[in-house]
Amino acid sequence: YDLIEEGESITFTAKVPGPAREVKVKIVDDMLEIEGGGNFLQRVQIPRGTRLQDKSYVSGVLHLKLQKTATPNNKIPSK
């Protein structure tokens, strides 16, 4: 897979087996989980508070656009 961070955006691309209906993506805390056909499961650590912005699956390749969001846990306290 490829994971590219650019400022507050993350682009993720990976080959995932199976038809589009079997490809599932979810974010749990700081983990991106991808499921595909044939019991495929991939977990990738990402910054906490990241949310899915866009998803496409074409010819066995999954493309995700993710957005980092500020959460109370990673904000710098003001003085």
Side-chain angles (χ1 to χ4, degrees):
Y1 68 86
D2 289 322
L3 183 79
I4 300 168
E5 290 188 53
E6 295 178 13
E8 296 300 310
S9 296
I10 299 172
T11 302
F12 179 88
T13 305
K15 290 183 181 178
V16 179
R21 70 180 181 280
E22 293 182 13
V23 176
K24 296 181 176 79
V25 176
K26 68 180 176 180
I27 297 173
V28 179
D29 296 324
D30 63 346
M31 200 64 62
L32 173 65
E33 294 185 6
I34 300 156
E35 295 181 44
N39 295 322
F40 176 86
L41 177 63
Q42 176 83 48
R43 289 187 178 107
V44 179
Q45 190 167 8
I46 57 175
R48 186 174 296 276
T50 300
R51 64 182 175 85
L52 181 62
Q53 211 173 24
D54 190 39
K55 169 184 153 185
S56 67
Y57 182 73
V58 179
S59 301
V61 180
L62 177 66
H63 299 276
L64 302 176
K65 288 187 181 180
L66 307 165
Q67 182 70 40
K68 296 180 197 174
T69 58
T71 64
N73 295 336
N74 66 8
K75 285 186 179 176
I76 298 171
S78 56
K79 294 183 181 182

